[in-house]
């Protein structure tokens, strides 16, 4: 099956968590909005049908149109060896991905704490305050949780990589871009998570993807944004 991924063409954003899973799986897929006429095709799907997705990313898999990152990954996981075989294991993984989704929202809100329709420049003071609280309280809570879960294993569920491992790679990579100084100081507290990031980055399919033009560079329009005012 050839998948069709629909997401904004110039940012990694939430679509990157799906891209990483598709790339690790070696799946055949189109990143539709990056093609000619792709944005029009994406908007058409957003505005038609009996069960349209709320927003990108969404994945077309045959007759299925699947929205929400955690929902998409829950679909892809068992089909591409990226989730456990047992129902309990799959539910546990889905729970972890929903926790990642919560963290992604908090990362976004460090630079847009007052509202997504306002420019960063209109909420600079609030963003700085939010970032201080984020690094004091929220980063230790979230990353500390995943650090504890990793234990002595290579991956969260044991020897085999899962889609949540891929998502945690993206979290570490993104925080290094957005908050380089703070992340450098914090990484000594989460050595297992850092090792997981490096382990995922070295996987053949992921390494090839990271070196390809399919990997959109981090930029100031995405979830992970680098602002000097937020980094010390």
């Amino acid at each position: 099956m050839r998948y069709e991924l629909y997401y904004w063409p110039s940012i990694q954003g939430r679509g990157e968590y799906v891209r990483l899973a598709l790339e690790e799986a070696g799946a055949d897929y189109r990143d539709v909005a990056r093609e000619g006429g792709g944005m029009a095709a994406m908007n058409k799907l957003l505005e038609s049908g009996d069960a349209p997705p709320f927003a990108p990313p969404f994945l077309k898999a045959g007759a299925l149109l699947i929205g929400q990152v955690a929902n998409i990954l829950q679909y892809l996981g068992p089909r591409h060896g990226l989730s456990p075989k047992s129902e309990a294991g799959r539910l546990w993984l889905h729970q972890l991905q929903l926790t990642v989704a919560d963290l992604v929202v908090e990362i976004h809100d460090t630079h847009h704490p007052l509202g997504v329709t306002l420019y960063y420049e209109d909420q600079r003071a609030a963003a700085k305050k939010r970032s201080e609280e984020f690094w004091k309280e929220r980063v230790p809570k979230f990353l500390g949780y995943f650090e504890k879960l990793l234990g002595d294993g290579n991956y969260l569920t044991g020897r085999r990589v899962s889609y949540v491992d891929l998502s945690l790679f993206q979290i570490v990579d993104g925080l290094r871009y957005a908050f380089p100084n703070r992340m450098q100081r914090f990484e000594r507290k989460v050595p297992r998570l850092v090792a997981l990031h490096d382990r995922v980055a070295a996987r053949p399919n992921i390494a090839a993807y990271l070196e390809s033009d399919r990997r959109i560079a981090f930029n100031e329009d995405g979830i992970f944004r680098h602002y000097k005012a937020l980094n010390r």
Side-chain angles (χ1 to χ4, degrees), residues 212-232:
S212 76
D213 60 4
R214 298 188 303 280
R215 171 77 164 183
I216 301 169
F218 287 109
N219 58 60
E220 301 314 292
D221 294 320
I223 292 168
F224 298 97
R225 302 187 183 196
H226 176 82
Y227 291 116
K228 290 182 179 179
L230 305 183
N231 284 275
R232 291 191 308 182

Side-chain angles (χ1 to χ4, degrees), residues 68-100:
Q68 294 287 355
V69 171
N71 200 31
I72 296 168
L73 294 176
Q74 187 179 39
Y75 171 82
L76 291 173
R79 288 164 177 79
H80 295 283
L82 295 173
S83 64
K85 294 181 179 180
S86 70
E87 181 181 31
R90 293 194 302 272
L91 286 171
W92 169 240
L93 208 64
H94 184 56
Q95 178 178 318
L96 294 179
Q97 188 65 43
L98 290 170
T99 304
V100 171

Side-chain angles (χ1 to χ4, degrees), residues 8-83:
W8 310 115
S10 60
I11 61 173
Q12 293 182 14
R14 289 172 174 82
E16 194 65 14
Y17 300 93
V18 181
R19 291 189 188 107
L20 286 167
L22 291 168
E23 292 285 346
E24 169 61 25
D28 185 12
Y29 77 99
R30 296 170 54 206
D31 206 337
V32 178
R34 297 177 72 181
E35 303 173 357
M39 283 295 295
M42 183 168 77
N43 289 330
K44 183 177 180 180
L45 286 175
L46 283 168
E47 298 169 1
S48 63
D50 295 329
F54 176 72
F58 51 90
L59 185 77
K60 195 171 188 299
L64 296 175
L65 191 62
I66 310 163
Q68 294 287 355
V69 171
N71 200 31
I72 296 168
L73 294 176
Q74 187 179 39
Y75 171 82
L76 291 173
R79 288 164 177 79
H80 295 283
L82 295 173
S83 64

Side-chain angles (χ1 to χ4, degrees), residues 136-182:
K136 181 180 179 181
E137 302 292 343
R138 308 307 286 163
V139 172
K141 185 176 181 69
F142 277 100
L143 298 194
Y145 172 70
F146 286 111
E147 175 77 6
K148 183 177 179 180
L149 290 181
L150 278 165
D152 296 325
N154 286 337
Y155 300 108
L156 281 168
T157 59
R159 294 182 179 179
R160 297 185 63 180
V161 69
S162 72
Y163 60 76
V164 176
D165 296 302
L166 303 175
S167 293
L168 289 174
F169 158 82
Q170 178 67 4
I171 292 291
V172 172
D173 223 39
L175 288 175
R176 284 177 170 178
Y177 171 80
F179 297 95
N181 297 334
R182 292 175 185 265

Side-chain angles (χ1 to χ4, degrees), residues 177-195:
Y177 171 80
F179 297 95
N181 297 334
R182 292 175 185 265
M183 190 58 178
Q184 184 179 36
R185 293 195 296 268
F186 186 80
E187 283 187 15
R188 61 182 175 81
K189 300 180 180 180
V190 286
R192 296 185 183 99
L193 199 55
V194 172

